[in-house]
Amino acid sequence: MPLSIRRDDLLPGRNFIGRWCEAQLGRRFDVADPATDTVFASVPDSGEDDARAALEAAHAAFTAWRAVPARQRAQILKRWNDLIVAHQEDLGRLISREQGKPLAEGRGEVAYAASYVEWFAEEATRANGDVIPAPVVGRRMFALKEPVGVVAAITPWNFPAAMIARKIAPALAAGCTVVCKPAEDTPLTSLALVKLAEEAGVPPGVLNIVTASRERAAEVVDVWLDDPRVRKISFTGSTPVGKHLARRSADTLKKLSLELGGNAPFIVFDDADIDAAVEGLMAAKFRNGGQTCVSPNRVYVQAGVHDTFADKLAERVAALKVGPASDAGSQIGPMINARAVDKIERHVRDAVDRGARILVGGQRLPAVGRNYFAPTVLIGADTTMACACEETFGPVVPVTRFETEAEVVAAANATPYGLAAYFYSRDVKRIWRVAEALEAGLVGINEGALAAEAAPFGGVKESGYGREGSIHGLDEYMHLKYLCQGQL
Ligand code: NAP
């Protein structure tokens, strides 16, 4: 099936290192549509030489870029935002084709990505420092914010536009230069965004991108980890890879932002608005087929409303339409690849073997395609099951019955992760108690859709550190320099 985008040049199919170029060894790898496993594009399979060239370019461009007045950097970012918005349809189609999400979600992701670019265009001009009251006569004290230097951005496949925008926009706004490696499964959207950044006026060398296959991801990133000229790693992805990056960058003590895996609890108390809770769970869980770091992974429902909630949920989940992004009615697309479906199937089997019962779904959908899994509701889930301990990253809702608030808060926190948590209640005292007790970076209270460019996004515990978006997001790419003038 043709991609049907208006601008074919949004598929440059090459690295961008000051100019569009092939990998130095000329290698390429294929990009497939997860809906059909059909190859429809290819991009450079870069190695260490390409990573080094990108770093040289970013390092060479840093001195001039940091000297560009913040207002001018902001204007370039605003033009980038305008171009992203103007190409929403093409970019949405590209996301849906390489990542698999329904087209409405692909378009929505473009708008979400653009919102970060616009936000940081505005933030660029607000990197104010401090004038500090001096403790002695004849002295003046100041704190200035400065860009950290070259930033390496490493991104996952589940939000190929948003994850790039959330890193590159604040880095450029702060006056940093960037080297970037997108995920193997979704390199095309990121190349298209870089193409638009070039058109917006980002100078050569300031933003560099190299694509690589999974086999060469570490080869590329290790060059950046080991080089002292890279001053910051901004990573979104799994916790094991995040820990590896933290260890390996320790020798050069880089600044780190790690947006890692989650295992979000979703709690429904007896006093909740049950219909609102079902809707909130549907929105939070089934966006991107459950392949979202803030997706509820464990659902706890208090005994008094458990059966009503489970019935209503099962009815809504059974009605979800599964199919390729190209089908306008699809609400759940394919999973990203066969490995993802294997993991989901393993979690469902394990839960059933340990006593859970399938209310809806529970199996692959080979008639639709190899990478599809039916939206699933399990009841009778417990803490011993793989689906409670690991991120399933798919359209599976394991429901656990609970009795008391203390019991459920302890269960919700009994995980090394701490990205998102959700709960539904109408008791104002409980709302504050539970919101404060949950160990998570983001808490949805009677709300399933949390993310916004104006809000700080990030985790605690093994979900990482650092925040993207909000008035705090720019600081991740800056350091404070203290100036003290005496003899006045
Ligand atoms: P991943 O396997 O950790 O990959 C993320 C990125 O790291 C990809 O570009 C990947 O390249 C690269 N990579 C993999 N192994 C590497 C290595 N040894 N050295 C250097 N780079 C390496 O994660 P994923 O499966 O793509 O993404 C899903 C995970 O991301 C989930 O755990 C999800 O919760 C998390 N996530 C978190 C957030 C958040 O904001 N907290 C947002 C979205 C996703 P390849 O693609 O080539 O393997």
Side-chain angles (χ1 to χ4, degrees):
M1 177 174 295
L3 186 56
S4 307
I5 60 174
R6 280 181 303 150
R7 277 190 52 184
D8 288 341
D9 64 333
L10 288 183
L11 284 172
R14 283 174 291 166
N15 288 335
F16 190 72
I17 305 176
R19 63 188 174 84
W20 294 97
C21 53
E22 292 294 340
Q24 292 189 21
L25 295 180
R27 292 178 303 227
R28 297 183 71 79
F29 68 96
D30 292 333
V31 184
D33 177 347
T36 57
D37 280 336
T38 317
V39 170
F40 70 100
S42 74
V43 291
D45 194 2
S46 311
E48 55 182 287
D49 292 344
D50 306 293
R52 203 161 289 116
L55 169 53
E56 299 290 348
H59 184 248
F62 176 60
T63 307
W65 180 244
R66 67 174 293 183
V68 171
R71 168 75 46 205
Q72 225 172 300
R73 290 199 302 267
Q75 281 162 351
I76 293 173
L77 284 170
K78 278 191 180 137
R79 281 201 294 275
W80 192 26
N81 166 66
D82 292 346
L83 285 165
I84 294 171
V85 171
H87 293 85
Q88 182 177 20
E89 187 62 27
D90 277 0
L91 292 168
R93 283 172 188 267
L94 208 45
I95 292 171
S96 290
R97 175 56 74 87
E98 66 174 346
Q99 198 273 336
K101 65 184 63 171
L103 189 51
E105 288 191 29
R107 292 186 189 113
E109 185 185 337
V110 177
Y112 179 59
S115 72
Y116 281 90
V117 178
E118 186 177 37
W119 175 265
F120 283 110
E122 292 159 355
E123 286 297 289
T125 58
R126 296 180 195 137
N128 301 331
D130 302 313
V131 180
I132 302 157
V136 291
V137 174
R139 195 182 282 177
R140 294 289 182 273
M141 294 161 54
F142 310 91
L144 310 183
K145 287 185 183 174
E146 293 189 330
V148 291
V150 176
V151 172
I154 299 134
T155 55
W157 48 265
N158 59 347
F159 287 89
M163 298 300 108
I164 292 263
R166 275 197 338 201
K167 298 182 182 324
I168 291 177
L172 299 188
C176 298
T177 56
V178 176
V179 292
C180 174
K181 190 207 78 68
E184 177 197 61
D185 291 308
T186 56
L188 302 177
T189 306
S190 48
L191 293 177
L193 288 175
V194 172
K195 176 87 187 146
L196 294 176
E198 184 191 14
E199 280 176 38
V202 174
V206 169
L207 170 56
N208 307 276
I209 185 164
V210 298
T211 54
S213 66
R214 191 153 284 126
E215 290 67 41
R216 290 189 216 288
E219 179 184 328
V220 166
V221 175
D222 284 354
V223 169
W224 300 338
L225 289 172
D226 295 344
D227 196 304
R229 290 172 296 176
V230 173
R231 293 312 317 147
K232 157 103 192 178
I233 302 283
S234 182
F235 172 74
T236 298
S238 61
T239 294
V241 174
K243 287 181 181 176
H244 161 73
L245 301 185
R247 281 189 205 105
R248 184 134 183 175
S249 62
D251 275 347
T252 50
L253 285 181
K254 300 183 198 311
K255 199 170 162 99
L256 289 172
S257 292
L258 300 175
E259 301 278 355
L260 308 179
N263 182 3
F266 187 105
I267 305 167
V268 184
F269 288 100
D270 280 346
D271 58 49
D273 176 334
I274 300 303
D275 290 324
V278 170
E279 287 315 307
L281 179 58
M282 294 299 294
K285 178 70 212 182
F286 291 103
R287 192 163 61 110
N288 203 13
Q291 302 171 111
T292 305
C293 54
V294 292
S295 271
N297 201 51
R298 303 167 284 153
V299 175
Y300 297 98
V301 186
Q302 203 160 11
V305 295
H306 176 275
D307 294 353
T308 312
F309 180 87
D311 288 347
K312 288 182 184 236
L313 178 67
E315 193 180 321
R316 290 281 277 110
V317 173
L320 286 172
K321 296 216 167 19
V322 180
S326 55
D327 179 341
S330 293
Q331 293 165 294
I332 306 281
M335 299 296 103
I336 188 67
N337 52 37
R339 283 183 302 142
V341 190
D342 291 345
K343 180 180 186 189
I344 296 164
E345 188 175 46
R346 175 170 65 77
H347 280 196
V348 171
R349 275 213 197 115
D350 170 79
V352 171
D353 289 348
R354 291 171 190 270
R357 189 159 65 83
I358 296 172
L359 275 193
V360 183
Q363 74 287 328
R364 290 168 180 265
L365 297 172
V368 189
R370 197 165 72 105
N371 295 334
Y372 290 88
F373 200 89
T376 297
V377 179
L378 300 166
I379 54 168
D382 67 39
T383 52
T384 66
M385 297 173 183
C387 62
C389 311
E390 300 170 31
E391 205 179 13
T392 304
F393 236 51
V396 177
V397 184
V399 179
T400 303
R401 184 191 294 262
F402 74 90
E403 300 289 340
T404 68
E405 181 184 308
E407 167 202 345
V408 80
V409 168
N413 289 339
T415 167
Y417 300 101
L419 186 55
Y422 307 81
F423 67 96
Y424 277 70
S425 169
R426 282 185 283 209
D427 176 336
V428 72
K429 287 188 181 171
R430 165 174 281 159
I431 284 175
W432 283 101
R433 243 184 353 254
V434 174
E436 288 170 7
L438 288 171
E439 296 169 356
L442 326 165
V443 179
I445 306 164
N446 298 328
E447 180 58 65
L450 299 180
E453 76 284 2
F457 191 103
V460 298
K461 295 160 75 179
E462 294 188 21
S463 291
Y465 37 75
R467 292 293 178 269
E468 293 192 322
S470 83
I471 56 167
H472 307 288
L474 199 64
D475 286 343
E476 301 284 337
Y477 296 87
M478 307 197 88
H479 55 228
L480 275 180
K481 180 183 276 179
Y482 163 51
L483 305 182
C484 178
Q485 185 175 6
Q487 307 299 320
L488 291 173

